[in-house]
């Protein structure tokens, strides 16, 4: 058995629902207890047909709970959710997944889930057709949007006798996932991080602006990644329809000059700044006070340069502060990225090349290369932006400690 040093003393609620994979929950409990965690098991009533509560109470050394009240005693679901460092739903059935997505509360497990103040992670288990059904996938996306995490299902032999996706991750994989989660959670604890994201809009008149296609998705994913690792995050966010993430300070701005003011005033109090925003390089010299009326065949707008926020942070940077920037390039990518690294006094530049399929504005995936000031290059494949965010933060932590 690997040595899980992060799980020692951790308080874990294990929610077990009615799937054949419930027999594996006994192994999860055993591994967690051996790793030094405290485990309280809550079962849905159907789960008790798949595994005996006695097995689980013996392994967890705690009573197993199923009902909101037993023998005229009310189970305090609110305190259970506050007691735990994390709540693990394994296996998670289609039915309980649907309750988690809709907020239905017809058993103790759902009452604890709905009142839990701790993070929640689920390991789904179901047959492939159920797993791939649009409503299941929609429910998975919904519970993720509520900041629950989902441990990927495996492919293999299923209870139906068929082979395919939907098998619950193995107990060892689930426990290793928890170990990694606790490890990541403390990585940036105590660190203050500023992230800029999204486009800026430069007004021409009261109704028009010059903008760009940035959605803010990459910067938001980075801010969420930093928060999930324990950082105190401030997100300076340009105009976007993307959902504002929870658990951080969000400062909404519109123009490049507002973003400049916000970032330069926050920067002295942070340890790390990640400038991911697509800031307009030019802004109209004058903003017409009234709507510009259609007149001649052509219209000439005079633009002036905006202040470079990343460059300014590079100038203001003090010992112990770390500044990361982005570069979006279409030609001579490496050369331009290295120039930005040096000219803006950044510690690392993340290069997005628009030439790569699936990379850049509006996509959910991205392809990046990172250049650091020690002269190293870090290459990555095309991946979802949330995973790229983890790659960027892992690299940032390594570069900052180098
Ligand atoms: N940036 C900034 N302030 C600006 C312009 C850019 O802080 N006024 C930052 C971006 O957030 C990014 C980096 O600088 O981290 C590089 O942005 P990019 O648009 O690729 O480069 P520019 O410096 O604007 O140069 P060019 O447009 O000529 O490539």
């Amino acid at each position: 058995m690997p040595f899980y040093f992060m799980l020692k003393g951790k308080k874990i609620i294990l929610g077990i629902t009615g799937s054949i994979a419930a027999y594996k929950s006994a192994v999860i409990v055993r591994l967690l207890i051996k790793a030094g965690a405290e485990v309280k098991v809550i079962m849905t009533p159907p789960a008790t047909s798949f595994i005996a509560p006695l097995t689980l109470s013996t392994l967890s050394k705690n009573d197993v709970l199923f009902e909101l009240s037993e023998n005229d005693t009310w189970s305090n679901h609110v305190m259970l959710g506050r007691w735990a460092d994390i709540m693990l739903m394994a296996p998670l059935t289609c039915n309980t997944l649907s309750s988690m997505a809709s907020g239905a509360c017809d058993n103790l497990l759902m009452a604890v889930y709905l009142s839990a103040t701790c993070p929640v992670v689920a390991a789904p288990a179901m047959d492939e057709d159920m797993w791939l059904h649009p409503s299941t996938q929609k429910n998975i996306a919904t519970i993720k949007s509520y900041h629950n995490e989902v441990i990927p299902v495996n492919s293999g032999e299923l209870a139906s006798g068929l082979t395919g996706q939907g098998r619950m991750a193995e107990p060892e994989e689930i426990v290793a996932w928890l170990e990694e989660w606790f490890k990541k959670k403390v990585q940036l604890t105590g660190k203050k991080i500023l992230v800029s994201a999204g486009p800026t809009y430069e007004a021409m008149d009261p109704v028009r602006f010059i903008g760009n296609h940035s959605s803010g998705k990459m910067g938001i994913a980075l801010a969420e990644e930093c928060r999930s690792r324990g950082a105190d995050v401030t997100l300076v966010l340009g105009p976007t329809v993307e959902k504002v993430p929870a658990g951080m300070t969000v400062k909404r701005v519109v123009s490049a000059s507002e973003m400049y003011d916000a970032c330069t005033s926050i920067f002295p109090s942070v340890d790390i700044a990640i400038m991911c925003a697509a800031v307009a390089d030019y802004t109209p010299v004058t903003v017409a006070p009234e709507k510009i009326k259609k007149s001649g065949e052509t219209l000439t707008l005079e633009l002036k340069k905006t202040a470079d926020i990343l460059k300014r942070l590079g100038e203001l940077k003090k010992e112990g502060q770390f500044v990361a920037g982005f570069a979006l390039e279409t030609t001579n990518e490496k050369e331009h990225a290295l120039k930005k690294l040096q000219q803006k006094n950044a510690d690392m530049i993340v290069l997005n090349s628009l030439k790569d399929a699936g990379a850049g504005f509006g996509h959910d995936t991205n392809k990046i290369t990172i250049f650091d000031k020690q002269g190293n290059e870090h290459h990555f494949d095309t991946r979802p932006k949330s995973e790229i965010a983890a790659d960027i933060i892992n690299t940032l932590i390594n570069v900052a400690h180098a």
Side-chain angles (χ1 to χ4, degrees):
M1 175 178 153
F3 189 60
Y4 299 115
F5 64 93
M6 291 304 296
L7 291 169
K8 192 164 189 306
K10 295 296 185 307
K11 298 184 176 77
I12 298 171
I13 289 178
L14 173 59
I16 304 179
T17 68
S19 152
I20 179 64
Y23 80 92
K24 293 186 181 172
S25 304
V27 183
I28 299 177
V29 176
R30 191 168 164 272
L31 290 171
L32 290 174
I33 295 292
K34 281 190 100 175
E38 257 186 88
V39 182
K40 288 190 181 173
V41 175
I42 306 173
M43 302 175 82
T44 58
T48 60
S49 307
F50 291 95
I51 184 161
L54 184 61
T55 310
L56 298 158
S57 62
T58 310
L59 289 170
S60 69
K61 305 180 175 81
N62 268 318
D63 288 342
V64 171
L65 306 163
F66 351 66
E67 306 285 358
L68 272 160
S69 65
E70 268 168 76
N71 303 328
D72 295 332
T73 314
W74 178 66
S75 293
N76 192 333
H77 55 85
V78 176
M79 290 330 284
L80 276 164
R82 293 196 174 190
W83 167 83
D85 294 309
I86 193 164
M87 180 173 185
L88 166 68
M89 304 282 217
L92 175 70
T93 55
C94 218
N95 195 38
T96 302
L97 166 65
S98 165
S99 298
M100 286 170 75
S102 68
C105 184
D106 58 358
N107 57 41
L108 175 65
L109 182 61
M110 279 309 301
V112 173
Y113 164 73
L114 288 168
S115 47
T117 50
C118 64
V120 179
V121 56
M126 59 197 81
D127 251 289
E128 185 173 57
D129 297 337
M130 289 171 89
W131 172 248
L132 294 178
H133 194 282
S135 62
T136 305
Q137 290 305 312
K138 191 168 162 225
N139 287 339
I140 290 282
T142 303
I143 68 163
K144 281 186 178 172
S145 76
Y146 301 153
H147 297 293
N148 298 298
E149 303 220 36
V150 176
I151 301 179
V153 294
N154 283 342
S155 265
E157 215 178 297
L158 300 166
S160 57
L162 299 171
T163 302
Q165 292 178 53
R167 260 173 84 95
M168 185 176 81
E170 292 304 322
E172 291 76 10
E173 290 171 324
I174 292 173
V175 175
W177 189 98
L178 288 174
E179 167 79 7
E180 249 338 275
W181 185 84
F182 279 112
K183 210 186 277 175
K184 267 174 67 179
K185 201 170 164 275
V186 296
Q187 258 177 348
L188 294 173
T189 297
K191 294 282 178 233
K192 290 198 161 107
I193 301 186
L194 163 66
V195 180
S196 75
T200 62
Y201 287 176
E202 309 304 316
M204 289 164 54
D205 67 15
V207 292
R208 302 183 184 95
F209 61 83
I210 303 171
N212 61 64
H213 292 301
S214 169
S215 62
K217 280 183 187 172
M218 187 69 243
I220 290 172
L222 281 165
E224 294 201 298
E225 188 64 31
C226 293
R227 188 217 48 209
S228 75
R229 298 184 194 219
D232 175 357
V233 179
T234 304
L235 174 65
V236 174
L237 187 59
T240 172
V241 292
E242 292 296 312
K243 254 199 235 126
V244 173
M248 62 185 73
T249 307
V250 180
K251 172 103 185 77
R252 289 270 198 177
V253 295
V254 176
S255 64
S257 97
E258 283 175 23
M259 190 170 272
Y260 179 92
D261 290 344
C263 291
T264 50
S265 73
I266 295 162
F267 183 65
S269 64
V270 303
D271 304 288
I272 298 166
I274 306 172
M275 294 293 99
C276 187
V279 189
D281 289 334
Y282 290 91
T283 190
V285 171
T286 49
V287 181
E290 303 299 338
K291 186 182 168 204
I292 300 170
K293 296 301 285 178
K294 182 166 56 185
S295 52
E297 285 308 306
T298 59
L299 172 73
T300 306
L301 260 185
E302 199 185 349
L303 304 176
K304 62 178 184 208
K305 234 189 207 160
T306 57
D308 191 315
I309 306 166
L310 177 61
K311 190 155 183 273
R312 182 66 188 141
L313 301 193
E315 289 161 3
L316 294 170
K317 190 169 64 174
K318 297 241 161 56
E319 181 78 29
Q321 282 186 306
F322 188 98
V323 173
F326 277 68
L328 183 70
E329 308 293 344
T330 52
T331 53
N332 301 332
E333 288 104 333
K334 180 174 170 179
E335 186 192 324
H336 285 131
L338 288 174
K339 210 162 159 193
K340 282 174 190 169
L341 180 73
Q342 193 243 326
Q343 287 178 348
K344 303 194 187 199
N345 191 28
D347 297 285
M348 125 183 171
I349 287 280
V350 181
L351 167 69
N352 278 302
S353 168
L354 271 189
K355 277 185 184 160
D356 291 302
F361 292 144
H363 289 282
D364 286 324
T365 54
N366 210 359
K367 182 160 190 323
I368 56 153
T369 310
I370 298 178
F371 300 90
D372 68 38
K373 71 163 185 255
Q374 284 91 13
N376 304 307
E377 274 180 44
H378 312 256
H379 294 271
F380 304 89
D381 294 332
T382 303
R383 309 222 290 137
K385 283 187 177 167
S386 57
E387 290 174 23
I388 297 262
D391 290 337
I392 293 173
I393 301 304
N394 286 335
T395 310
L396 186 152
I397 291 170
N398 288 337
V399 173
H401 286 126

